[in-house]
Amino acid sequence: MKRSQINSIIREMEELISENGFHLPPFCNWTPKDWENKGHEYDEIRDNMLGWDITDFGLGDFDKVGFGLITLRNGNRNNEKYKKVYAEKLLFLRDDMMAPMHFHWFKSEDIINRGGGTLLIKVYNDDGKGGLADSDVLINSDGRSYYVKAGSLVKLLPGESITIWPHQYHEFHVEPGSGSVLIGEVSQCNDDNIDNRFYEDIGRFPEIEEDEEPYRLLCNEYPVAKNI
């Protein structure tokens, strides 16, 4: 992805967040210059990959396949220094976009439509070999439990949510014509380096072409803390 495209997506997501009355923690608004003077007191942000994360999954077509994400809160299963057992994210999809089919090995999560258009979640069970099972899928949604056929699209209007369990495949879509969607995720600790199992072989963090200066640093770009 080009840096200019990443910068534009972040600004677009900031606008959607503002329109829906959501307020971000201060570090989400820091510039690269701000980061130059952030010491070890902010290591939780660095170590747990809090902040901005824009990806096209290595497919080169963000208008159709991609995610804008912000990790707001996160623990760390691999570092006992951090005691949180939960994570919170915001995600962004434009109208008629999707994010690829995947499951998580460890974490359970609630996916929430925080505002905007209509979110569609396609669901399958894992067949135990990494494939898509044809068995009915248990849906837990806002206090209701029921089953749907494999490959069904579960519709989430603003305020509605779905619980996704480990080994439950899910794919994100936006109902065409409904508008961009601001998505919330509340989960167990998040580790995008090892906890995602994509159905197809795709990337997670994009290669970046530096055609302009960064507007915000991404969560894997923070400078090492200075001893100040």
Side-chain angles (χ1 to χ4, degrees):
M1 296 182 73
K2 291 185 176 181
R3 181 67 69 174
S4 57
Q5 183 184 21
I6 290 171
N7 289 344
S8 177
I9 293 164
I10 291 174
R11 290 186 173 98
E12 185 178 352
M13 188 172 175
E14 285 178 332
E15 185 175 342
L16 183 64
I17 290 167
S18 178
E19 288 173 357
N20 284 278
F22 201 100
H23 298 278
L24 297 175
F27 65 82
C28 293
N29 300 317
W30 289 348
T31 66
K33 185 69 175 177
D34 293 330
W35 267 107
E36 292 178 5
N37 298 311
K38 301 304 178 185
H40 286 289
E41 63 185 304
Y42 292 107
D43 278 349
E44 183 174 347
I45 298 172
R46 299 180 180 92
D47 293 344
N48 298 344
M49 299 183 74
L50 307 185
W52 292 94
D53 176 7
I54 309 299
T55 184
D56 62 0
F57 298 98
L59 300 176
D61 191 2
F62 185 87
D63 289 336
K64 292 186 178 179
V65 184
F67 251 147
L69 310 96
I70 314 172
T71 301
L72 302 172
R73 294 161 187 90
N74 198 13
N76 193 319
R77 295 175 59 226
N78 302 309
N79 190 333
E80 62 182 17
K81 175 181 176 182
Y82 301 109
K83 304 301 184 183
K84 288 179 183 175
V85 296
Y86 57 87
E88 182 184 8
K89 287 185 179 182
L90 281 181
L91 304 95
F92 159 69
L93 283 176
R94 290 176 181 153
D95 196 320
D96 206 18
M97 279 182 68
M98 62 88 69
M101 185 73 69
H102 66 287
F103 70 66
H104 304 293
W105 298 102
F106 172 77
K107 75 173 181 178
S108 303
E109 60 188 3
D110 278 5
I111 302 299
I112 310 149
N113 186 335
R114 293 289 192 194
T118 301
L119 181 62
L120 305 173
I121 306 292
K122 182 180 285 189
V123 292
Y124 286 91
N125 294 318
D126 170 27
D127 67 0
K129 301 177 181 179
L132 305 177
D134 60 5
S135 56
D136 290 352
V137 182
L138 173 64
I139 303 299
N140 298 110
S141 176
D142 299 320
R144 179 190 178 200
S145 299
Y146 62 100
Y147 284 88
V148 298
K149 297 294 185 183
S152 293
L153 288 167
V154 179
K155 180 182 291 191
L156 299 178
L157 299 174
E160 296 181 334
S161 70
I162 183 174
T163 301
I164 301 294
W165 302 105
H167 288 265
Q168 190 173 62
Y169 271 112
H170 52 294
E171 183 178 273
F172 291 74
H173 296 263
V174 177
E175 187 170 74
S178 68
S180 297
V181 181
L182 184 64
I183 305 161
E185 178 186 309
V186 176
S187 73
Q188 293 168 282
C189 293
N190 180 79
D191 189 341
D192 283 326
N193 291 303
I194 63 171
D195 197 34
N196 298 318
R197 200 288 182 186
F198 288 95
Y199 179 63
E200 298 180 329
D201 186 17
I202 58 175
R204 175 58 182 86
F205 296 102
E207 297 282 337
I208 299 176
E209 179 184 337
E210 301 291 352
D211 62 329
E212 67 181 39
E213 293 298 313
Y215 171 57
R216 308 278 187 236
L217 294 182
L218 302 182
C219 63
N220 58 347
E221 296 182 323
Y222 302 137
V224 175
K226 296 179 180 179
N227 292 318
I228 56 174

